[in-house]
């Protein structure tokens, strides 16, 4: 049996038990032993609120962005502060570029010197080639070796220039991208200028940003109650200020490691027992604010608003021909009232009443001792002492 059915069955049983007790007490009252206790249909349908567990929760960002810095570089200026709300592309901090700028100047000078030297060597080669052409045969080999040596020097300088150009691009990139910007809008959650590590030994990011594009709800469940929730379970998010304001969601993840903080189960005081975080994906975030504290309830249908009249199935009796009826009050007397029913909601164990009954009618729980024509009363009198 599903959790919804169990809850509905418990509620129905409680309602039936209460009706039976009222009926029993009424038949023991002096002067009213033949009067049957009846209630308004609207009171009965309104009493079927589902009792469920409730947990505390807070609205937070769906994801947190970790902005790291290059430990080999020095941060010159930080543009943001903790709790500041930022937009996408907002400047976060800027690296010191003085060293890179000096490297650019030195590298460009080195490349220029290499190019000058390459030019000189090319002129030397041309002159050596002319002299070799005019030299006797036994002297040509020396000129050839000199030319080859100059060509080798040119190749070395060209390779050096290629490496220097790569370094130059790196230095220029450092200067051009010295300002680090946010990849998304959000709220600055932390700035760790001195670095450090978290409680799990992970290196802390330089800046942590809580995204505000997508919300989720982070709840806590006690060690004793963790078995009552599961991943994929539908939940109701309820405002702490206005309990009629609700949102729907689904449990996306339940942590297996306990939280370091005390348990915040709504119905249980903070104790030494561990509590476990769980996260809810929202169907809609409209009306929610980042950091808002809420209640979380497993969804047993308590937030569903139905149209029409729905009555607990235990108040509906059935004739041999399959037609259904209720025991209703008419002119102060009890009478069978034929009703037309629609579908049975198995989750809440209620029938939709299509015709034959209204919210203002008075009915009682069916019992074998009931007979048409019996007197009815809306007053539940307690038996006198000693009776």
């Amino acid at each position: 049996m599903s959790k919804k059915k169990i809850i509905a069955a418990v509620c129905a049983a409680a309602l039936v038990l209460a009706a039976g007790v009222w009926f029993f007490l009424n038949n023991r009252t002096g002067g009213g032993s033949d009067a049957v206790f009846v209630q308004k249909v609207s009171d009965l349908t309104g009493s079927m609120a589902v009792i469920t567990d409730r947990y505390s929760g807070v609205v937070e960002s769906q994801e947190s962005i970790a902005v790291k810095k290059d430990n080999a570089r020095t941060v010159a200026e930080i543009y943001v502060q903790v709790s500041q709300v930022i937009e996408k592309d907002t400047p976060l901090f800027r690296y010191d570029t003085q060293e890179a700028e000096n490297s650019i100047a030195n590298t460009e000078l080195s490349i220029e010197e290499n190019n000058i030297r390459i030019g000189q060597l090319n002129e030397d080669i041309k002159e050596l080639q002319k002299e070799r052409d005019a030299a006797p045969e036994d002297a040509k080999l020396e000129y050839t070796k000199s030319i080859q040596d100059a060509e080798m020097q040119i190749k070395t300088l060209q390779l050096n220039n290629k490496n220097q150009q790569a370094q130059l691009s790196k230095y220029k990139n450092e200067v051009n991208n010295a300002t680090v910007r946010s990849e998304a809008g959000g709220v600055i959650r932390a700035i760790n200028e001195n670095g450090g590590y978290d409680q799990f030994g992970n290196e802390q990011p330089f800046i942590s940003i809580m995204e505000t594009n997508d919300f989720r709800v982070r709840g806590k469940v006690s060690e004793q109650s963790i078995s009552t929730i599961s991943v994929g379970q539908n939940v109701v998010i309820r405002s702490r200020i206005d309990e009629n304001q609700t949102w729907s969601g689904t449990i996306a993840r339940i942590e297996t490691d306990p939280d370091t903080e005390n348990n915040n189960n709504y119905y249980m005081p903070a104790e030494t027992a561990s509590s476990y975080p769980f996260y809810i994906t929202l169907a809609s975030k409209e009306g929610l604010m980042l950091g808002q504290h809420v209640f979380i309830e497993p969804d047993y249908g308590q937030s569903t608003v139905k149209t029409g009249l729905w009555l607990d199935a235990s108040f509906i009796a059935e004739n041999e021909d399959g037609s259904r009826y209720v025991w209703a009050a008419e002119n102060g007397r009890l009478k069978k009232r034929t009703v037309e029913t629609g579908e049975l909601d198995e989750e809440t164990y209620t029938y939709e009443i299509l015709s034959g009954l209204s919210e203002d009618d008075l009915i009682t729980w069916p019992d074998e001792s009931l007979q048409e024509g019996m007197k009815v009363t809306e007053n539940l009198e307690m038996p006198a002492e000693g009776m």
Side-chain angles (χ1 to χ4, degrees):
M1 183 179 290
S2 68
K3 290 181 180 178
K4 289 186 178 181
K5 292 180 180 178
I6 292 173
I7 295 297
V10 170
C11 292
L15 190 59
V16 170
L17 178 60
V21 171
W22 292 333
F23 180 74
F24 172 73
L25 290 175
N26 179 74
N27 284 334
R28 293 179 59 189
T29 56
S33 59
D34 60 342
V36 179
F37 176 69
V38 291
Q39 280 186 288
K40 266 191 175 184
V41 171
S42 59
D43 292 337
L44 294 171
T45 56
S47 65
M48 291 303 295
V50 178
I51 302 172
T52 181
D53 296 324
R54 178 179 283 188
Y55 311 101
S56 63
V58 63
V59 180
E60 65 177 27
S61 170
Q62 184 69 257
E63 296 294 341
S64 181
I65 300 174
V67 181
K68 297 182 179 181
K69 78 177 185 71
D70 187 347
N71 292 328
R73 302 175 67 183
T74 303
V75 174
E77 187 175 4
I78 299 174
Y79 299 120
V80 294
Q81 57 188 1
V82 175
S83 300
Q84 180 179 340
V85 178
I86 62 171
E87 298 179 354
K88 183 180 180 181
D89 294 328
T90 297
L92 300 175
F93 63 93
R94 179 178 61 83
Y95 287 112
D96 184 353
T97 60
Q98 187 60 56
E99 185 177 346
E101 289 172 355
N102 291 340
S103 296
I104 289 173
N106 291 334
T107 303
E108 288 178 337
L109 179 60
S110 178
I111 291 173
E112 183 178 356
E113 290 175 348
N114 286 343
N115 287 335
I116 292 173
R117 179 57 181 156
I118 289 171
Q120 292 174 344
L121 287 169
N122 281 324
E123 290 298 323
D124 291 344
I125 290 172
K126 290 179 182 179
E127 187 64 30
L128 288 170
Q129 287 174 340
K130 290 180 181 178
E131 292 178 3
R132 183 183 61 180
D133 292 341
E137 287 298 325
D138 57 349
K140 290 183 183 293
L141 181 59
E142 289 298 324
Y143 284 103
T144 299
K145 288 181 179 181
S146 297
I147 292 171
Q148 290 175 342
D149 182 62
E151 290 175 340
M152 183 59 68
Q153 291 184 56
I154 290 174
K155 288 181 180 180
T156 300
L157 292 170
Q158 288 175 337
L159 179 60
N160 183 268
N161 273 357
K162 184 177 180 180
N163 293 334
Q164 298 257 38
Q165 286 289 354
Q167 286 295 110
L168 185 61
S169 296
K170 176 187 173 182
Y171 297 139
K172 287 184 176 180
N173 185 62
E174 288 183 7
V175 173
N176 295 334
N177 297 285
T179 300
V180 177
R181 300 176 181 272
S182 176
E183 297 177 358
V187 178
I188 303 298
R189 187 163 63 177
I191 301 175
N192 301 300
E193 294 187 54
N194 299 321
Y197 298 86
D198 61 21
Q199 58 183 335
F200 302 108
N202 301 315
E203 185 178 0
Q204 291 183 326
F206 183 59
I207 295 178
S208 294
I209 303 172
M210 187 184 301
E211 278 193 83
T212 54
N213 293 334
D214 293 313
F215 290 166
R216 68 179 178 185
V217 174
R218 182 182 190 270
K220 284 186 179 181
V221 59
S222 70
E223 188 174 9
Q224 295 88 345
S225 301
I226 193 170
S227 61
T228 65
I229 63 173
S230 58
V231 173
Q233 182 178 3
N234 293 330
V235 294
V236 175
I237 311 300
R238 196 177 298 277
S239 168
R240 285 179 179 258
I241 299 174
D242 179 6
E243 292 209 1
N244 293 319
Q245 187 177 19
T246 61
W247 298 264
S248 59
T250 305
I251 296 178
R253 189 171 87 245
I254 303 172
E255 297 289 0
T256 56
D257 293 324
D259 204 316
T260 55
E261 299 178 14
N262 287 332
N263 175 42
N264 280 332
N265 187 321
Y266 178 67
Y267 285 124
M268 297 179 61
E271 299 175 351
T272 56
S274 299
S275 62
Y276 294 80
F278 62 98
Y279 300 91
I280 297 163
T281 300
L282 295 163
S284 171
K285 67 176 183 179
E286 185 176 357
L288 285 171
M289 296 183 295
L290 191 66
Q292 179 179 347
H293 289 267
V294 294
F295 294 131
I296 304 167
E297 303 169 1
D299 188 357
Y300 298 134
Q302 67 270 31
S303 63
T304 302
V305 179
K306 293 184 178 180
T307 58
L309 177 60
W310 293 78
L311 181 65
D312 185 83
S314 63
F315 279 88
I316 301 172
E318 192 169 302
N319 293 310
E320 292 182 359
D321 62 0
S323 61
R324 296 191 173 103
Y325 67 92
V326 296
W327 287 101
E330 292 187 13
N331 300 321
R333 297 286 179 173
L334 199 63
K335 184 177 180 180
K336 283 186 178 181
R337 175 83 64 82
T338 300
V339 292
E340 181 185 1
T341 61
E343 62 177 314
L344 172 67
D345 185 338
E346 295 184 357
E347 304 293 353
T348 58
Y349 197 60
T350 55
Y351 270 112
E352 183 180 13
I353 306 298
L354 301 178
S355 64
L357 199 65
S358 71
E359 291 186 347
D360 293 328
D361 285 325
L362 300 171
I363 64 172
T364 190
W365 183 69
D367 184 87
E368 293 181 357
S369 63
L370 298 180
Q371 297 179 8
E372 288 192 309
M374 295 179 71
K375 292 180 181 180
V376 298
T377 179
E378 293 183 65
N379 298 318
L380 181 62
E381 300 178 7
M382 297 300 293
E385 186 176 350
M387 294 194 62

